[in-house]
Amino acid sequence: MLDLSFEAPKPKVIAGAKHDWELVIGMEVHAQIASKAKLFSGASTGFGAEPNSHVAFVDAAMPGMLPVINEFCVEQAVRTGLGLKAQINLKSAFDRKNYFYPDLPQGYQISQLYHPIVGEGEVIVDMEPGIARRVRIERIHIEQDAGKSIHDMDPNMSFVDLNRTGVALMEIVSRPDLRGPEEAAAYVVKLRQILRYLGTCDGNMQNGNLRADVNVSVCRPGQYEKYQETQDFSHLGTRCEIKNMNSMRFIQAAIDYEARRQIALLESGGSVVQETRLYDPDKNETRSMRSKEEAHDYRYFPDPDLLPLEIEQGWVDGIQASLPELPDQKKARFVKDFGLSEYDASVLTAETANAAYFEAVVEASGDGKLSANWVINELFGRLKKEDHSIEDSPVTPAQLAGIIALIKSGDISGKIAKDVFEIVYTDGGDPARIVEEKGLKQVTDTGAIETAVDEVIAANPAQVEKAKENPKLAGWFVGQVMKATGGKANPAAVNQIVTAKLGL
C-alpha cells in the first residue's frame, strides 16, 4: 500500500494589540451509535417520532428497572476504535455521572470515566495535498444521551421529550493537537467520513447525531512546543469549552471569536476563567453557560447495576477482519492504481457512494484518469449544481463508461462527448446508440477533413498570411474547420492537416 507522506500545517497566528498568539484546540465529538435500539433498552432510536413514543421503562427511570447492555452498541464502539487505529480495552466499566436536569429522568448519566472501552488512537486530517495534521485520540467511551427540553412551545412552560434518552453515544476525545479553526472543522469532517465508512454513525449533524464540544485556548509562540516536549499543560493557556456545535461553519466562527475574546482579555491584564460557553450564530459570539466542572463535581462512581464489561480478543479480531477499506487506504490505492492526483483521489473518496460509483466506471471503461475527470468535472459538477447526491444520478456508471469508451475509440471528440453526456443525463439512453442515431460520430476520413481545410484556407487569404508570420494563429483555422464540420472532425487530424497546408 502506498503511503501518502505529509507535512504538518503551520499553526494559526492571531495578532493581538500587543503580541502574536497561537491557538490550541481539542475536540470532544459525540457520535450517535448507528443502532436500532438504545444502549440499555430495546426502545427504538428512530428520529422524528412523536414525542415520548420511543421510551422504555428503564429510559424513564421507573422504579426497579435495570439496564441491560446492547452488545451491538459495544461492537460498534470497538469497530470505531479499530478504524481509528486505537487500543481496544478488553476490560472496561460504566460509571454514573450525577447531575440533575429535567430531561435526565435518572438524575445521572451512565458513562465511562475511569475505564473507557477504547484507548489511544489517531486521525490524519488532510488540509491540502501534502499537508495534514496528525490528531491523537485520547479515548472513546460509551455513554447514554439525555432527552430534549423544548422551551418555545408555550410562553409559561417547558416540555420534555425523552425519545433520545438512553440513545447510545460514543464520545471521541482528542488531545489538544489542532492549531486553527480550519483544522478543527477539517478534523470533524474527516472523523465523520471515517465513521460513515465504518457504518458506526450516520454523521447527520442536522439531527444531532454528530455534535462537537470544542476546547479553545491561546498561548504565546513557542509555548506549544514546550508542551509537546513535556506534555505539561501548564505551558498552555486556560481553555474554555464551547458546547454542542453541529456545523462546520459555526465551529470555525466560534473558535475565531473565542480566541480573540481570550486574547483581548489577557492583553488587558485579565485572566481566562475555565468555563463552558455557548455559541450564538446570530450574534456571532460566545457567552458563558456555566463554570467548568471537574470530575468530582459530578460525583462519579461505578454504576452498581452494571458489571464490568469484559470482551475477548478473538471477538475483537473478528471485528478487525470485517473492517472495510477506510478513506486513507482507498485514497492511497486510487493514487497508486489509477495514477490520480492526491486531490482527485480525495474528492472521489469523500463518500463511500462516490468511490463505489467511480470504481464501477473504471471497471467498465478501463481508464482511471479519464474516468476520474468525467466523474469529478462533468457528473459531480452537474449534480452539485442541481443539489443532488450521487445516489440521485440519472447517469449510471455503465452509461458514463460508454461515453468514455467512445472517446477512447476515437468515435467522438471531447466536445461531442459533452453533448452526448447532456442527452444521457436528461433523457437517458445508450451512448453508442445516441451517437449513431444522431449522426454524432467523429469524422476521421482525412479526405473529408482536407476538403474542409481547403475551403477555410481559400476563404481567408489574409488570415493565411498572418498565420505564416505567426504560426500560433493556425489555431484559428482549426477552430473554423471544427465549426464547419459541426465539431465532428478529429481535432488531432485537423491540426495536422492545417499545419501541413499552411506550410508551418
Side-chain angles (χ1 to χ4, degrees):
M1 180 57 65
L2 177 70
D3 289 326
L4 299 177
S5 59
F6 59 86
E7 296 179 3
K10 293 181 179 179
K12 171 84 171 182
V13 176
I14 296 179
K18 299 179 180 178
H19 310 287
D20 283 345
W21 298 83
E22 293 180 357
L23 277 68
V24 181
I25 303 161
M27 305 282 280
E28 299 168 11
V29 174
H30 294 82
Q32 179 175 322
I33 293 176
S35 169
K36 293 181 179 179
K38 296 182 180 181
L39 183 55
F40 297 115
S41 82
S44 170
T45 59
F47 181 81
E50 287 294 315
N52 300 306
S53 61
H54 289 172
V55 187
F57 288 144
V58 69
D59 304 325
M62 293 297 176
M65 295 296 103
L66 297 176
V68 178
I69 190 72
N70 181 337
E71 181 179 335
F72 181 70
C73 291
V74 177
E75 179 182 337
Q76 291 285 68
V78 170
R79 190 175 177 85
T80 299
L82 292 171
L84 299 181
K85 302 175 184 176
Q87 171 66 40
I88 305 301
N89 297 321
L90 300 183
K91 293 184 179 180
S92 60
F94 289 97
D95 307 290
R96 288 186 179 180
K97 178 182 179 181
N98 293 272
Y99 64 98
F100 299 94
Y101 208 70
D103 57 18
L104 193 69
Q106 295 163 315
Y108 59 84
Q109 178 189 35
I110 301 177
S111 184
Q112 292 185 313
L113 175 67
Y114 300 112
H115 305 286
I117 191 167
V118 178
E120 295 182 348
E122 69 175 26
V123 175
I124 305 300
V125 182
D126 310 295
M127 299 306 298
E128 57 183 87
I131 305 294
R133 176 73 69 191
R134 188 185 304 274
V135 179
R136 295 168 297 164
I137 300 298
E138 178 182 323
R139 55 187 277 142
I140 303 175
H141 61 260
I142 311 172
E143 64 184 18
Q144 298 171 300
D145 202 354
K148 182 179 180 181
S149 295
I150 303 166
H151 307 293
D152 58 359
M153 291 181 63
D154 188 281
N156 301 311
M157 294 185 293
S158 291
F159 295 86
V160 174
D161 180 5
L162 299 182
N163 280 347
R164 290 190 67 94
T165 304
V167 166
L169 299 178
M170 295 177 287
E171 182 168 343
I172 305 169
V173 183
S174 84
R175 297 281 187 182
D177 292 345
L178 295 158
R179 307 302 312 281
E182 296 81 9
E183 286 184 31
Y187 167 75
V188 177
V189 169
K190 184 61 175 287
L191 188 58
R192 178 180 182 272
Q193 179 192 32
I194 294 172
L195 295 175
R196 285 169 62 84
Y197 263 70
L198 291 166
T200 57
C201 174
D202 66 13
N204 190 323
M205 300 184 78
Q206 186 176 352
N207 292 350
N209 296 355
L210 188 77
R211 51 194 191 269
D213 298 340
V214 187
N215 291 285
V216 181
S217 66
V218 296
C219 65
R220 296 292 305 281
Q223 291 301 109
Y224 186 81
E225 285 69 25
K226 292 180 180 179
Y227 155 72
Q228 287 285 56
E229 292 173 7
T230 63
Q231 295 299 300
D232 183 352
F233 287 98
S234 66
H235 293 296
L236 303 181
T238 301
R239 73 183 189 275
C240 291
E241 181 182 46
I242 309 171
K243 293 287 286 185
N244 292 330
M245 305 297 296
N246 65 348
S247 156
M248 308 307 176
R249 181 165 61 89
F250 292 162
I251 284 173
Q252 294 183 69
I255 291 172
D256 187 72
Y257 175 87
E258 178 59 22
R260 294 178 188 278
R261 183 191 73 85
Q262 292 182 21
I263 290 168
L265 193 61
L266 292 168
E267 292 196 337
S268 65
S271 60
V272 176
V273 177
Q274 187 174 342
E275 63 182 349
T276 300
R277 300 179 69 85
L278 291 175
Y279 175 67
D280 185 337
D282 295 327
K283 296 181 179 179
N284 186 31
E285 65 181 24
T286 63
R287 61 174 184 271
S288 181
M289 179 181 175
R290 58 176 180 264
S291 61
K292 180 63 180 178
E293 301 90 346
E294 300 296 342
H296 60 77
D297 295 319
Y298 286 117
R299 294 182 295 112
Y300 277 98
F301 63 85
D303 193 301
D305 293 334
L306 289 161
L307 290 170
L309 183 61
E310 296 189 11
I311 58 180
E312 297 179 351
Q313 185 61 49
W315 186 64
V316 175
D317 292 342
I319 298 172
Q320 175 80 64
S322 72
L323 292 184
E325 185 180 41
L326 292 173
D328 288 345
Q329 299 169 317
K330 193 179 291 289
K331 175 181 169 183
R333 180 169 62 82
F334 281 10
V335 170
K336 180 176 182 290
D337 291 356
F338 305 131
L340 305 186
S341 69
E342 191 175 332
Y343 174 79
D344 284 352
S346 296
V347 172
L348 292 167
T349 56
E351 297 284 351
T352 54
N354 291 355
Y357 185 101
F358 165 71
E359 290 206 81
V361 175
V362 174
E363 185 177 353
S365 71
D367 192 312
K369 283 191 173 181
L370 200 52
S371 295
N373 288 338
W374 275 86
V375 170
I376 294 172
N377 298 322
E378 299 302 325
L379 183 63
F380 285 0
R382 181 64 178 270
L383 292 174
K384 183 178 181 180
K385 183 178 179 181
E386 299 183 0
D387 198 25
H388 290 157
S389 67
I390 193 69
E391 290 87 352
D392 303 321
S393 173
V395 180
T396 67
Q399 287 173 318
L400 190 54
I403 295 174
I404 293 169
L406 291 168
I407 298 172
K408 290 178 66 179
S409 67
D411 286 343
I412 59 175
S413 65
K415 181 180 183 301
I416 294 174
K418 293 185 177 183
D419 295 335
V420 176
F421 176 84
E422 179 64 29
I423 294 170
V424 173
Y425 191 98
T426 306
D427 303 322
D430 174 54
R433 181 173 295 179
I434 291 169
V435 168
E436 193 66 38
E437 291 178 350
K438 295 187 177 293
L440 298 174
K441 199 167 185 178
Q442 188 167 245
V443 177
T444 55
D445 177 6
T446 55
I449 295 174
E450 278 194 39
T451 300
V453 171
D454 288 339
E455 290 176 355
V456 172
I457 289 176
N460 298 277
Q463 196 72 13
V464 170
E465 294 305 317
K466 291 180 181 179
K468 288 182 178 180
E469 294 176 6
N470 182 4
K472 291 182 179 180
L473 295 178
W476 181 84
F477 288 92
V478 174
Q480 292 300 305
V481 173
M482 294 301 295
K483 184 177 180 181
T485 60
K488 296 177 186 177
N490 184 303
V494 172
N495 190 66
Q496 187 177 10
I497 293 171
V498 165
T499 301
K501 292 281 185 180
L502 292 176
L504 303 178

PDB file of all heavy atoms in Angstrom, residues 482-501:
ATOM      1  N   MET A 482     -13.382  22.954 -37.340  1.00  0.00           N
ATOM      2  CA  MET A 482     -14.237  22.229 -36.382  1.00  0.00           C
ATOM      3  C   MET A 482     -15.666  22.785 -36.425  1.00  0.00           C
ATOM      4  O   MET A 482     -16.637  22.037 -36.365  1.00  0.00           O
ATOM      5  CB  MET A 482     -13.660  22.360 -34.956  1.00  0.00           C
ATOM      6  CG  MET A 482     -12.317  21.664 -34.761  1.00  0.00           C
ATOM      7  SD  MET A 482     -12.366  19.890 -35.103  1.00  0.00           S
ATOM      8  CE  MET A 482     -13.459  19.345 -33.796  1.00  0.00           C
ATOM      9  N   LYS A 483     -15.754  24.102 -36.563  1.00  0.00           N
ATOM     10  CA  LYS A 483     -17.070  24.733 -36.650  1.00  0.00           C
ATOM     11  C   LYS A 483     -17.785  24.307 -37.927  1.00  0.00           C
ATOM     12  O   LYS A 483     -18.973  23.994 -37.922  1.00  0.00           O
ATOM     13  CB  LYS A 483     -16.908  26.253 -36.610  1.00  0.00           C
ATOM     14  CG  LYS A 483     -18.205  27.027 -36.597  1.00  0.00           C
ATOM     15  CD  LYS A 483     -17.929  28.524 -36.483  1.00  0.00           C
ATOM     16  CE  LYS A 483     -19.227  29.321 -36.474  1.00  0.00           C
ATOM     17  NZ  LYS A 483     -18.977  30.787 -36.383  1.00  0.00           N
ATOM     18  N   ALA A 484     -17.041  24.257 -39.013  1.00  0.00           N
ATOM     19  CA  ALA A 484     -17.639  23.890 -40.300  1.00  0.00           C
ATOM     20  C   ALA A 484     -18.105  22.443 -40.328  1.00  0.00           C
ATOM     21  O   ALA A 484     -19.054  22.103 -41.039  1.00  0.00           O
ATOM     22  CB  ALA A 484     -16.619  24.135 -41.412  1.00  0.00           C
ATOM     23  N   THR A 485     -17.442  21.589 -39.530  1.00  0.00           N
ATOM     24  CA  THR A 485     -17.819  20.163 -39.513  1.00  0.00           C
ATOM     25  C   THR A 485     -18.739  19.823 -38.340  1.00  0.00           C
ATOM     26  O   THR A 485     -18.957  18.657 -38.036  1.00  0.00           O
ATOM     27  CB  THR A 485     -16.551  19.285 -39.435  1.00  0.00           C
ATOM     28  OG1 THR A 485     -15.823  19.610 -38.234  1.00  0.00           O
ATOM     29  CG2 THR A 485     -15.668  19.479 -40.646  1.00  0.00           C
ATOM     30  N   GLY A 486     -19.251  20.867 -37.701  1.00  0.00           N
ATOM     31  CA  GLY A 486     -20.155  20.619 -36.570  1.00  0.00           C
ATOM     32  C   GLY A 486     -19.458  19.959 -35.397  1.00  0.00           C
ATOM     33  O   GLY A 486     -20.091  19.269 -34.597  1.00  0.00           O
ATOM     34  N   GLY A 487     -18.157  20.160 -35.274  1.00  0.00           N
ATOM     35  CA  GLY A 487     -17.399  19.583 -34.173  1.00  0.00           C
ATOM     36  C   GLY A 487     -17.122  18.108 -34.328  1.00  0.00           C
ATOM     37  O   GLY A 487     -16.615  17.465 -33.402  1.00  0.00           O
ATOM     38  N   LYS A 488     -17.428  17.559 -35.506  1.00  0.00           N
ATOM     39  CA  LYS A 488     -17.285  16.113 -35.705  1.00  0.00           C
ATOM     40  C   LYS A 488     -15.909  15.694 -36.196  1.00  0.00           C
ATOM     41  O   LYS A 488     -15.550  14.523 -36.130  1.00  0.00           O
ATOM     42  CB  LYS A 488     -18.344  15.625 -36.695  1.00  0.00           C
ATOM     43  CG  LYS A 488     -19.778  15.794 -36.207  1.00  0.00           C
ATOM     44  CD  LYS A 488     -20.760  15.351 -37.278  1.00  0.00           C
ATOM     45  CE  LYS A 488     -22.194  15.646 -36.876  1.00  0.00           C
ATOM     46  NZ  LYS A 488     -23.145  15.265 -37.955  1.00  0.00           N
ATOM     47  N   ALA A 489     -15.150  16.627 -36.719  1.00  0.00           N
ATOM     48  CA  ALA A 489     -13.832  16.271 -37.246  1.00  0.00           C
ATOM     49  C   ALA A 489     -12.877  15.913 -36.111  1.00  0.00           C
ATOM     50  O   ALA A 489     -12.956  16.486 -35.017  1.00  0.00           O
ATOM     51  CB  ALA A 489     -13.258  17.427 -38.052  1.00  0.00           C
ATOM     52  N   ASN A 490     -11.985  14.983 -36.367  1.00  0.00           N
ATOM     53  CA  ASN A 490     -10.992  14.597 -35.381  1.00  0.00           C
ATOM     54  C   ASN A 490     -10.031  15.766 -35.179  1.00  0.00           C
ATOM     55  O   ASN A 490      -9.320  16.146 -36.111  1.00  0.00           O
ATOM     56  CB  ASN A 490     -10.228  13.361 -35.880  1.00  0.00           C
ATOM     57  CG  ASN A 490      -9.247  12.849 -34.844  1.00  0.00           C
ATOM     58  OD1 ASN A 490      -8.376  13.577 -34.403  1.00  0.00           O
ATOM     59  ND2 ASN A 490      -9.389  11.592 -34.473  1.00  0.00           N
ATOM     60  N   PRO A 491      -9.996  16.354 -33.970  1.00  0.00           N
ATOM     61  CA  PRO A 491      -9.185  17.551 -33.739  1.00  0.00           C
ATOM     62  C   PRO A 491      -7.699  17.351 -34.054  1.00  0.00           C
ATOM     63  O   PRO A 491      -7.050  18.231 -34.612  1.00  0.00           O
ATOM     64  CB  PRO A 491      -9.390  17.848 -32.247  1.00  0.00           C
ATOM     65  CG  PRO A 491     -10.694  17.201 -31.919  1.00  0.00           C
ATOM     66  CD  PRO A 491     -10.768  15.972 -32.765  1.00  0.00           C
ATOM     67  N   ALA A 492      -7.154  16.181 -33.708  1.00  0.00           N
ATOM     68  CA  ALA A 492      -5.738  15.917 -33.967  1.00  0.00           C
ATOM     69  C   ALA A 492      -5.455  15.896 -35.469  1.00  0.00           C
ATOM     70  O   ALA A 492      -4.454  16.455 -35.941  1.00  0.00           O
ATOM     71  CB  ALA A 492      -5.323  14.593 -33.325  1.00  0.00           C
ATOM     72  N   ALA A 493      -6.379  15.263 -36.205  1.00  0.00           N
ATOM     73  CA  ALA A 493      -6.197  15.192 -37.656  1.00  0.00           C
ATOM     74  C   ALA A 493      -6.322  16.579 -38.275  1.00  0.00           C
ATOM     75  O   ALA A 493      -5.551  16.946 -39.186  1.00  0.00           O
ATOM     76  CB  ALA A 493      -7.235  14.249 -38.264  1.00  0.00           C
ATOM     77  N   VAL A 494      -7.268  17.369 -37.808  1.00  0.00           N
ATOM     78  CA  VAL A 494      -7.460  18.736 -38.313  1.00  0.00           C
ATOM     79  C   VAL A 494      -6.196  19.554 -38.081  1.00  0.00           C
ATOM     80  O   VAL A 494      -5.697  20.249 -38.971  1.00  0.00           O
ATOM     81  CB  VAL A 494      -8.668  19.410 -37.638  1.00  0.00           C
ATOM     82  CG1 VAL A 494      -8.733  20.896 -38.032  1.00  0.00           C
ATOM     83  CG2 VAL A 494      -9.955  18.710 -38.002  1.00  0.00           C
ATOM     84  N   ASN A 495      -5.658  19.478 -36.877  1.00  0.00           N
ATOM     85  CA  ASN A 495      -4.462  20.247 -36.530  1.00  0.00           C
ATOM     86  C   ASN A 495      -3.284  19.858 -37.426  1.00  0.00           C
ATOM     87  O   ASN A 495      -2.539  20.723 -37.926  1.00  0.00           O
ATOM     88  CB  ASN A 495      -4.111  20.008 -35.065  1.00  0.00           C
ATOM     89  CG  ASN A 495      -3.034  20.958 -34.566  1.00  0.00           C
ATOM     90  OD1 ASN A 495      -3.257  22.162 -34.481  1.00  0.00           O
ATOM     91  ND2 ASN A 495      -1.878  20.415 -34.253  1.00  0.00           N
ATOM     92  N   GLN A 496      -3.133  18.570 -37.671  1.00  0.00           N
ATOM     93  CA  GLN A 496      -2.034  18.079 -38.505  1.00  0.00           C
ATOM     94  C   GLN A 496      -2.161  18.568 -39.953  1.00  0.00           C
ATOM     95  O   GLN A 496      -1.190  19.017 -40.569  1.00  0.00           O
ATOM     96  CB  GLN A 496      -2.005  16.547 -38.453  1.00  0.00           C
ATOM     97  CG  GLN A 496      -0.812  15.924 -39.148  1.00  0.00           C
ATOM     98  CD  GLN A 496      -0.798  14.409 -39.005  1.00  0.00           C
ATOM     99  OE1 GLN A 496      -1.753  13.812 -38.546  1.00  0.00           O
ATOM    100  NE2 GLN A 496       0.303  13.799 -39.418  1.00  0.00           N
ATOM    101  N   ILE A 497      -3.386  18.480 -40.485  1.00  0.00           N
ATOM    102  CA  ILE A 497      -3.619  18.869 -41.880  1.00  0.00           C
ATOM    103  C   ILE A 497      -3.491  20.381 -42.057  1.00  0.00           C
ATOM    104  O   ILE A 497      -2.908  20.864 -43.043  1.00  0.00           O
ATOM    105  CB  ILE A 497      -4.998  18.370 -42.351  1.00  0.00           C
ATOM    106  CG1 ILE A 497      -4.992  16.822 -42.409  1.00  0.00           C
ATOM    107  CG2 ILE A 497      -5.367  18.955 -43.711  1.00  0.00           C
ATOM    108  CD1 ILE A 497      -6.368  16.211 -42.648  1.00  0.00           C
ATOM    109  N   VAL A 498      -4.009  21.166 -41.111  1.00  0.00           N
ATOM    110  CA  VAL A 498      -3.892  22.619 -41.166  1.00  0.00           C
ATOM    111  C   VAL A 498      -2.426  23.031 -41.185  1.00  0.00           C
ATOM    112  O   VAL A 498      -1.995  23.861 -41.994  1.00  0.00           O
ATOM    113  CB  VAL A 498      -4.632  23.283 -39.992  1.00  0.00           C
ATOM    114  CG1 VAL A 498      -4.203  24.743 -39.845  1.00  0.00           C
ATOM    115  CG2 VAL A 498      -6.129  23.205 -40.198  1.00  0.00           C
ATOM    116  N   THR A 499      -1.644  22.430 -40.293  1.00  0.00           N
ATOM    117  CA  THR A 499      -0.220  22.750 -40.203  1.00  0.00           C
ATOM    118  C   THR A 499       0.495  22.455 -41.550  1.00  0.00           C
ATOM    119  O   THR A 499       1.308  23.249 -42.026  1.00  0.00           O
ATOM    120  CB  THR A 499       0.436  21.948 -39.073  1.00  0.00           C
ATOM    121  OG1 THR A 499      -0.209  22.248 -37.842  1.00  0.00           O
ATOM    122  CG2 THR A 499       1.926  22.278 -38.947  1.00  0.00           C
ATOM    123  N   ALA A 500       0.140  21.297 -42.130  1.00  0.00           N
ATOM    124  CA  ALA A 500       0.771  20.920 -43.402  1.00  0.00           C
ATOM    125  C   ALA A 500       0.342  21.835 -44.527  1.00  0.00           C
ATOM    126  O   ALA A 500       1.173  22.272 -45.357  1.00  0.00           O
ATOM    127  CB  ALA A 500       0.396  19.473 -43.730  1.00  0.00           C
ATOM    128  N   LYS A 501      -0.937  22.165 -44.598  1.00  0.00           N
ATOM    129  CA  LYS A 501      -1.459  23.004 -45.697  1.00  0.00           C
ATOM    130  C   LYS A 501      -0.894  24.419 -45.650  1.00  0.00           C
ATOM    131  O   LYS A 501      -0.691  25.038 -46.688  1.00  0.00           O
ATOM    132  CB  LYS A 501      -2.986  23.048 -45.614  1.00  0.00           C
ATOM    133  CG  LYS A 501      -3.683  21.726 -45.922  1.00  0.00           C
ATOM    134  CD  LYS A 501      -3.769  21.472 -47.395  1.00  0.00           C
ATOM    135  CE  LYS A 501      -4.570  20.218 -47.712  1.00  0.00           C
ATOM    136  NZ  LYS A 501      -4.638  19.975 -49.186  1.00  0.00           N
TER     137      LYS A 501
END
